[in-house]
């Protein structure tokens, strides 16, 4: 007996943040001009989302505020990340009524994959009918419209969503390998396809490849020279092939683990003020490690400088995309893995002072912990010089800090440096993913523009 053909769904919540804000105000996302963006920031801030009505006017979903055309009247709604997470969890609960968790992969806060193969006979539905049923229940209970892609593998389900469904009136796209090759082999731009970003597209362009059809029929040897083992993925996708299954995703375990945090300042910081933030970031990284019962084998630091006018002039008119100017960076391994805020802070400061130019103003900072492992499974011999007892005492203090913050809020207990004018910890503690959580009482309200 031939194996049953697989059926996968990929469901995306249409303009999720903006739609959620419209619904919360009793407004229709398809007729209301609304953008989700922080009014406290400059017009250079990126909109988290724009409503379908705004997209219909030609406003891209992730534009900067100043890029919204003049003459469009719209509501600017402050981000509320906690609210979006709660709404996403509510919708996930709707999915679970029909699909078991082992057959769902949550790809992002507003997008998920489903292996619906075993459920078609269970419910006596076609794949299309089951997808429509899920969409209908989400819309009925939350008011949010979902877009759906149906495919015979995970890749085709994603492409059916991204290219087919989002441009159809019924918001539903379907693809199998044959229809994919027939309808999308000539589709441009190639960046519309999953996993083909601008960088890959430019490299393909130098090889004379501009469509998936051209990629499918291109000689393989030059592709492997250019892309290495990733060429296999590109070639498979060009033919509409994806061997990865839901079971593969669920059983995957990362070989390496890391943690990182990044900040972009509204206005550039001088050397000492940026160093203050580096110390804050090291403390926060230590608390994250402690909370996860993890230790780090080392840390890396990145500092991006504010561009001078000469540097800006140097790339104007070129094909360089999103050039952010020069930077300083470096890293250091620990003799023994640690989660000590003192060790992380001292090491981060040493890297910063050694690798960063004190004469340059700093616009961006990034701090990461690498070779992260479970604290109980270090797998390394203790150093004769390791201050193990001190580390244990500090880890105990950090665990207590985490308990206090979980119970009373992240800003319930702070260090003196966190209260300095250029410190960022207090503000970032009221954010999720770098955006307002919506929980803080800062008086932020809708702004009407036009």
């Amino acid at each position: 007996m031939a194996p049953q053909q697989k059926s996968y769904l990929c469901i995306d919540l249409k303009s999720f943040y903006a739609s959620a804000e419209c619904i919360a105000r009793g407004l229709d996302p398809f007729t209301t001009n609304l953008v989700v963006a922080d009014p406290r920031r400059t017009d250079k801030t990126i909109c988290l989302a724009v409503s379908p009505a705004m997209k219909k006017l030609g406003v891209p979903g992730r534009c900067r505020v100043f890029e919204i055309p003049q003459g469009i009247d719209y509501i600017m709604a402050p981000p509320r990340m906690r609210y979006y997470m709660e709404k996403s969890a509510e919708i996930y609960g709707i999915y679970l009524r029909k699909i078991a968790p082992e057959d769902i992969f949550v790809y992002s806060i507003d997008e998920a994959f489903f292996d619906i193969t075993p459920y078609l006979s269970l419910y006596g539905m076609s794949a299309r009918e089951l997808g429509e049923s899920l969409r209908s229940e989400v819309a009925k209970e939350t008011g949010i419209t979902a877009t759906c892609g149906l495919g015979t593998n995970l890749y085709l389900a994603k492409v059916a969503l991204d290219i087919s469904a989002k441009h159809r009136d019924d918001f539903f796209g379907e693809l199998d390998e044959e229809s994919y090759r027939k309808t999308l082999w000539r589709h441009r731009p190639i960046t519309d396809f999953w996993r083909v970003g601008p960088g890959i597209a430019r490299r393909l362009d130098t090889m004379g490849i501009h469509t998936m059809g051209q990629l499918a029929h291109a000689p393989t040897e030059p592709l492997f020279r250019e892309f290495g083992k990733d060429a296999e993925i590109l070639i498979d996708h060009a033919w509409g092939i994806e061997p990865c299954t839901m079971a593969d995703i669920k059983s995957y375990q990362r070989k390496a683990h890391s943690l990182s945090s990044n900040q972009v300042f509204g206005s550039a910081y001088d050397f000492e003020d940026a160093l203050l933030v580096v110390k804050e970031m090291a403390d926060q990284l230590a608390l994250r490690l402690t909370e996860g019962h993890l230790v780090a084998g080392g840390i890396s630091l990145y500092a991006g400088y504010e561009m001078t006018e000469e540097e800006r002039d140097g790339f104007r008119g070129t094909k360089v995309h999103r050039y952010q100017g020069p930077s300083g960076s470096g890293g250091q391994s620990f003799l023994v893995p640690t989660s000590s805020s003192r060790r992380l802070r001292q090491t981060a400061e040493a890297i910063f002072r050694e690798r960063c130019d004190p004469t340059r103003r700093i616009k961006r900072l990034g701090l990461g912990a690498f070779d992260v492992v479970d604290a109980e499974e270090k797998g390394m011999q203790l150093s004769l010089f390791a201050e193990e007892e001190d580390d244990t005492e500090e880890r105990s203090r950090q665990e207590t800090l985490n308990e206090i913050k979980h119970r009373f809020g992240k800003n319930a207990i702070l260090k003196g440096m966190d209260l300095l004018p250029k410190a960022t910890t207090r503000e970032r503690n009221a954010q999720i993913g770098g955006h307002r959580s919506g929980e803080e009482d800062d008086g932020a309200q809708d702004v009407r523009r036009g």
Side-chain angles (χ1 to χ4, degrees):
M1 180 182 294
Q4 182 181 8
Q5 178 175 274
K6 287 284 190 177
S7 293
Y8 292 93
L9 291 175
C10 186
I11 297 181
D12 172 74
L13 306 174
K14 194 169 182 64
S15 302
F16 177 50
Y17 299 153
S19 292
E21 292 293 353
C22 286
I23 299 301
R25 291 160 174 76
L27 303 172
D28 183 349
F30 290 89
T31 60
T32 302
N33 293 338
L34 181 145
V35 306
V36 179
D38 194 338
R40 301 173 304 176
R41 300 185 180 182
T42 70
D43 280 359
K44 293 182 180 179
T45 191
I46 295 176
C47 298
L48 271 70
V50 306
S51 65
M54 292 282 280
K55 288 185 177 180
K56 193 171 182 179
L57 295 175
V59 180
R62 295 282 289 176
C63 66
R64 296 183 184 273
V65 172
F66 75 83
E67 293 174 326
I68 298 174
Q70 296 293 319
I72 296 179
D73 295 327
Y74 64 92
I75 300 169
M76 180 184 290
R80 295 188 291 165
M81 296 305 296
R82 179 67 62 187
Y83 173 68
Y84 309 143
M85 292 171 65
E86 291 171 353
K87 187 61 64 175
S88 178
E90 178 187 347
I91 292 170
Y92 181 67
I94 295 173
Y95 297 151
L96 287 176
R97 294 176 196 166
K98 280 190 164 67
I99 312 295
E102 57 266 27
D103 293 315
I104 304 175
F105 172 63
V106 177
Y107 187 60
S108 67
I109 192 171
D110 61 350
E111 193 169 334
F113 287 92
F114 306 79
D115 181 355
I116 60 171
T117 311
Y119 299 91
L120 304 183
S121 58
L122 175 65
Y123 296 123
M125 293 180 173
S126 67
R128 171 84 186 227
E129 288 170 339
L130 182 51
E132 292 285 16
S133 174
L134 291 171
R135 292 179 62 231
S136 176
E137 290 186 27
V138 170
K140 180 180 178 181
E141 297 189 31
T142 70
I144 294 175
T145 299
T147 306
C148 189
L150 170 64
T152 50
N153 61 48
L154 289 164
Y155 170 73
L156 291 177
K158 176 65 171 169
V159 173
L161 172 79
D162 289 343
I163 300 180
S164 304
K166 292 184 178 180
H167 302 288
R168 291 175 55 92
D169 292 337
D170 60 3
F171 305 124
F172 204 112
E174 299 181 54
L175 287 173
D176 57 20
E177 291 180 19
E178 182 179 354
S179 62
Y180 169 81
R181 298 168 191 173
K182 182 177 180 180
T183 61
L184 295 180
W185 258 4
R186 294 182 178 84
H187 178 88
R188 295 194 187 196
I190 199 169
T191 49
D192 283 349
F193 292 87
W194 194 26
R195 292 179 58 93
V196 181
I200 290 177
R202 286 193 293 272
R203 292 160 72 184
L204 290 172
D205 179 69
T206 63
M207 305 171 74
I209 297 172
H210 309 100
T211 67
M212 279 297 184
Q214 292 172 337
L215 177 57
H217 293 93
T220 59
E221 187 175 338
L223 289 169
F224 277 96
R225 281 201 307 267
E226 177 66 27
F227 296 101
K229 62 182 180 181
D230 287 343
E232 184 175 352
I233 298 173
L234 287 171
I235 294 168
D236 277 353
H237 286 181
W239 287 95
I241 297 170
E242 176 53 71
C244 181
T245 66
M246 187 67 72
D248 294 328
I249 294 174
K250 294 295 184 176
S251 63
Y252 173 74
Q253 293 184 345
R254 288 179 292 181
K255 294 181 179 179
H257 187 56
S258 63
L259 293 175
S260 65
S261 63
N262 299 275
Q263 294 193 41
V264 179
F265 303 131
S267 57
Y269 275 34
D270 64 26
F271 188 83
E272 291 299 326
D273 287 336
L275 177 57
L276 166 66
V277 177
V278 168
K279 293 177 182 178
E280 288 188 300
M281 293 172 73
D283 279 346
Q284 295 304 308
L285 189 59
L287 290 176
R288 289 175 63 192
L289 289 166
T290 302
E291 184 176 27
H293 304 287
L294 304 169
V295 289
I299 60 172
S300 59
L301 183 141
Y302 164 86
Y305 304 133
E306 181 180 47
M307 283 191 290
T308 64
E309 282 304 314
E310 291 77 12
E311 288 164 346
R312 293 181 189 277
D313 291 340
F315 80 91
R316 285 194 180 102
T318 70
K319 293 184 179 181
V320 177
H321 293 268
R322 296 188 178 184
Y323 177 68
Q324 294 184 325
S327 63
S329 62
Q332 183 174 321
S333 297
F334 298 121
L335 199 58
V336 176
T338 185
S339 62
S340 162
S341 62
R342 174 176 54 84
R343 292 172 184 267
L344 266 64
R345 191 169 56 249
Q346 290 174 347
T347 304
E349 178 176 357
I351 296 170
F352 185 82
R353 291 191 180 279
E354 178 184 351
R355 296 301 184 92
C356 296
D357 185 346
T359 67
R360 299 292 300 260
R361 290 174 62 80
I362 292 170
K363 188 72 174 175
R364 299 171 304 281
L365 284 174
L367 184 67
F370 56 83
D371 293 338
V372 174
V373 297
D374 190 280
E376 302 302 321
E377 300 178 7
K378 297 181 184 180
M380 295 179 64
Q381 182 177 350
L382 291 178
S383 164
L384 292 174
F385 305 101
E387 302 170 36
E388 187 69 14
E389 185 175 343
D390 290 346
D391 272 10
T392 301
E393 291 179 0
E394 186 169 11
R395 184 163 58 250
S396 178
R397 289 195 297 271
Q398 290 171 193
E399 288 171 351
T400 301
L401 282 173
N402 277 332
E403 289 176 8
I404 294 171
K405 289 173 180 288
H406 278 300
R407 185 172 180 181
F408 300 105
K410 292 182 179 180
N411 282 329
I413 185 167
L414 297 166
K415 289 188 173 181
M417 68 178 181
D418 300 331
L419 303 176
L420 294 173
K422 291 293 186 177
T424 63
T425 291
R426 285 179 297 166
E427 180 182 359
R428 291 182 66 81
N429 278 346
Q431 298 177 344
I432 297 176
H435 302 287
R436 294 181 68 254
S437 69
E439 297 175 310
E440 67 275 22
D441 183 15
D442 60 4
Q445 298 178 342
D446 290 356
V447 174
R448 293 186 175 273
R449 294 192 174 188

